[in-house]
Amino acid sequence: ALSGLIGAWSRFSAAANVTAWLAHGTLMGWWWAGELLPWDDDLDLQMTLHDLEALAERLPPSSTSSALPALFESRYLLEVNPSHIHRWRETANIIDARFIDTTTGRFLDITALASAADRGAALASASFPLFVRCKSQHVYAYDDLFPLRRTTFEGVEVLVPFDVAAVLAAEYGVASTTRTWFKGHFFNATAGRWV
């Protein structure tokens, strides 16, 4: 169900003309094997706060007409957290948007990145801050993220940060890209997957 969700997001983002890239545990899965980690139960993406705000403006506030449908392909719902504009850490409220498969309840979490220098400033594509952050306090060097690279994940074309190893090391530590045992699973290099 989760692999189908990334395909649906790919179609949605193309239709909505938005850019998002793999993040957090999903990016870790791509790093190791180009697929979901066996212990992961959701998908994670990041986008700029600027792009998320532009997307939120195009969503219907209720049942009125809009440039984007309330349900994509009559199955997928995009919910944007009204608190996405607040960039301070809220322990239980760090997800800025969620793309939900309404038939399975599975979801894709979206966190928005803004300049780390100005907590309220949106990260516009024309600006180049040295560091960007999400509400969960993960801080990334702009040059580690951009330019984004095209690749595949679960057989679907996706975007990943420019320097994935640096992004993962900043978020999870250097060992996250080399440790082959985790949560009762072993990375089988011959098979190219976690078992």
Side-chain angles (χ1 to χ4, degrees):
L2 284 176
S3 58
L5 189 57
I6 196 71
W9 171 262
S10 179
R11 295 187 302 277
F12 172 82
S13 62
N17 195 28
V18 294
T19 301
W21 55 93
L22 300 184
H24 311 305
T26 305
L27 183 61
M28 185 73 70
W30 176 85
W31 168 264
W32 282 98
E35 60 188 31
L36 292 162
L37 295 169
W39 58 86
D40 216 351
D41 61 357
D42 72 348
L43 295 165
D44 302 294
L45 294 177
Q46 287 179 328
M47 66 173 45
T48 66
L49 181 58
H50 179 267
D51 282 354
L52 181 60
E53 288 175 341
L55 183 59
E57 288 174 5
R58 295 169 48 206
L59 290 174
S62 60
S63 59
T64 60
S65 63
S66 174
L68 292 176
L71 282 177
F72 179 69
E73 297 180 356
S74 301
R75 176 176 176 171
Y76 301 97
L77 174 68
L78 177 67
E79 287 187 330
V80 177
N81 183 342
S83 292
H84 77 276
I85 58 173
H86 304 296
R87 302 317 299 162
W88 56 83
R89 178 152 171 78
E90 299 177 53
T91 306
N93 197 11
I94 59 173
I95 303 303
D96 293 306
R98 189 165 271 167
F99 188 70
I100 305 163
D101 181 337
T102 61
T103 63
T104 66
R106 298 287 189 158
F107 55 88
L108 184 154
D109 283 336
I110 301 168
T111 53
L113 297 182
S115 171
D118 179 3
R119 294 175 66 116
L123 173 62
S125 57
S127 65
F128 299 97
L130 295 177
F131 295 94
V132 294
R133 60 182 277 290
C134 59
K135 286 197 292 191
S136 63
Q137 304 300 318
H138 296 125
V139 177
Y140 309 95
Y142 186 89
D143 291 341
D144 290 345
L145 293 171
F146 302 103
L148 298 170
R149 297 184 295 139
R150 290 196 181 285
T151 186
T152 58
F153 178 76
E154 293 283 338
V156 176
E157 187 173 293
V158 296
L159 295 170
V160 296
F162 178 73
D163 189 344
V164 174
V167 169
L168 291 174
E171 189 166 341
Y172 298 109
V174 175
S176 67
T177 61
T178 59
R179 184 178 52 226
T180 56
W181 288 93
F182 192 73
K183 291 195 176 189
H185 296 273
F186 170 73
F187 186 75
N188 181 326
T190 304
R193 64 184 335 176
W194 289 90
V195 291

